[in-house]
Amino acid sequence: MEQAQVLTFLNNKDRDLLLQFCGYSTTEPLHSFGPVVRPHYIIHFILNGKGIFQIREKTYHLETGQGFLIEPDELTFYQSDAQEPWEYLWIGFNGKMIPEFLKQIGLSSAHPIFHCDKKKELYWLVNDMLVHSKSNFSSDLRRTGLLYEFLSILALNPLESDQQVDSEYMYINQAIEYIKNNYWDGIHIYDIAKYLCIDRSYLYLLFHKYLKQSPQDYLATFRLTKASELLSTTTLSIESISNSCGYGDPATFSKAFKRWKSMSPSKYRKQKRASGTVLSN
DNA sequence: TACTCTTATCCCGCATCTTA
DNA sequence: TAAGATGCGGGATAAGAGTA
């Protein structure tokens, strides 16, 4: 990092909303962070330049005016461009209300990218947060107020203010929630469509529009990600892992896994063991 | 816009083979 | 011999066209 302003505040998870750190920096070409998991919610916003953000096996190419959300315990990686390294600001926060706020804004790990044309406003808000860095009640309230204001600007995103898009996001979010809760139960795409009371071809349309992948791809990637975690952190048999991830047949699981990782589940486990991953039952 | 219908493609699961 | 991989056919899904 060539230049950076960073500030860290005290932790208190019982609060509705709490700014934990913030800052901005101009990065060097190809400056990267991760792959790493974080304990907080973090939003980065690009003031200038370009870079990539990776989460859940997906790579997003981002530029000025775009930002990305990192949720707690999500493995992420980001890197600035070689020719036009990005200058970005970030805020790290926590609190009981965050899941509800992010839901309203339309941000999640499945939909982590946003666009905002109020670059100057966001910059001055973070600048103001840095100015009010003192550890007293007044500054604390001021920082929390600025954080509310920051989120309110994101909520102004024209995409989210459109009623039709709101309902489309609602379908996507509910579908993702359904997958998270039922992926282990051998669900099919038509089950998700039935749950949402929409036609499965319409569900496909929405997934393709917002996530650039089919519902089937999303479901398979979710199951296989869970499976790869179980392979590297447990000694469960391939059949048990297959059943635990919603595959009725270990053969189907094995084929799907090989297609995804270009290696069989057993080979993946051997590689992980060789690299020193701790195993448990 | 929010579906339904049609059809080609692809995925799943059974049977069988391979490997440790 | 059991666990995991592979081949193949049938059914589910994706995608485009049509419609109310």
Side-chain angles (χ1 to χ4, degrees):
Chain A
M1 257 182 251
E2 287 177 351
Q3 146 194 103
Q5 277 269 3
V6 189
L7 213 54
T8 306
F9 306 106
L10 293 175
N11 192 5
N12 182 347
K13 286 189 177 177
D14 293 332
R15 296 261 296 271
D16 285 344
L17 190 61
L18 177 69
L19 181 72
Q20 297 192 295
F21 52 86
C22 63
Y24 58 82
S25 71
T26 304
T27 61
E28 292 176 1
L30 296 176
H31 169 262
S32 65
F33 198 86
V36 68
V37 293
R38 320 283 277 274
H40 317 101
Y41 291 89
I42 305 172
I43 285 176
H44 286 75
F45 179 71
I46 304 157
L47 299 166
N48 284 300
K50 295 177 183 175
I52 59 164
F53 171 57
Q54 293 179 336
I55 182 171
R56 295 184 180 180
E57 310 287 330
K58 286 189 76 176
T59 300
Y60 298 92
H61 295 264
L62 306 175
E63 57 189 19
T64 307
Q66 289 185 299
F68 56 91
L69 169 75
I70 296 173
E71 289 190 298
D73 304 323
E74 285 283 351
L75 186 67
T76 59
F77 171 83
Y78 46 96
Q79 184 176 48
S80 64
D81 189 71
Q83 273 76 45
E84 298 176 59
W86 52 19
E87 175 190 357
Y88 54 37
L89 59 82
W90 66 88
I91 55 168
F93 50 99
N94 239 319
K96 291 184 292 187
M97 293 304 293
I98 296 299
E100 180 57 32
F101 288 171
L102 292 176
K103 193 177 170 185
Q104 292 291 331
I105 293 170
L107 282 174
S108 66
S109 293
H111 185 74
I113 308 303
F114 64 91
H115 178 271
C116 181
D117 52 12
K118 301 202 178 297
K119 192 168 93 171
K120 281 185 180 172
E121 283 89 335
L122 294 182
Y123 172 80
W124 284 112
L125 282 172
V126 169
N127 202 53
D128 218 1
M129 289 172 188
L130 292 165
V131 168
H132 293 87
S133 60
K134 286 182 182 172
S135 178
N136 59 46
F137 185 58
S138 174
S139 294
D140 187 20
L141 284 180
R142 176 72 178 171
R143 287 196 299 270
T144 304
L146 291 167
L147 178 55
Y148 271 105
E149 204 173 334
F150 190 103
L151 294 175
S152 78
I153 289 176
L154 297 192
L156 277 176
N157 184 339
L159 273 176
E160 272 61 64
S161 66
D162 183 80
Q163 216 173 35
Q164 183 245 323
V165 172
D166 267 354
S167 70
E168 290 180 349
Y169 271 132
M170 187 192 72
Y171 282 137
I172 295 280
N173 285 329
Q174 287 184 349
I176 289 169
E177 200 61 30
Y178 186 83
I179 288 170
K180 278 182 180 173
N181 292 331
N182 298 282
Y183 73 92
W184 53 271
D185 200 18
I187 54 165
H188 299 274
I189 301 306
Y190 57 75
D191 293 322
I192 303 169
K194 193 177 168 185
Y195 170 72
L196 297 172
C197 301
I198 59 173
D199 191 86
R200 58 188 167 80
S201 57
Y202 181 50
L203 180 66
Y204 172 82
L205 191 87
L206 295 180
F207 263 75
H208 201 262
K209 182 176 175 183
Y210 291 104
L211 305 180
K212 308 295 179 204
Q213 62 181 324
S214 68
Q216 180 59 35
D217 276 350
Y218 185 92
L219 176 60
T221 304
F222 192 89
R223 282 177 166 152
L224 291 168
T225 303
K226 292 288 177 189
S228 67
E229 286 171 18
L230 292 174
L231 282 166
S232 56
T233 59
T234 74
T235 56
L236 292 170
S237 68
I238 302 292
E239 187 175 5
S240 297
I241 292 172
S242 162
N243 290 333
S244 303
C245 296
Y247 287 93
D249 179 21
T252 306
F253 164 65
S254 180
K255 275 168 69 176
F257 194 92
K258 192 169 186 179
R259 201 165 41 243
W260 184 55
K261 283 283 185 191
S262 302
M263 70 176 84
S264 66
S266 56
K267 195 173 176 185
Y268 178 83
R269 172 173 269 169
K270 276 179 191 170
Q271 255 191 26
K272 283 288 171 183
R273 282 182 181 177
S275 65
T277 306
V278 180
L279 302 176
S280 65
N281 268 320

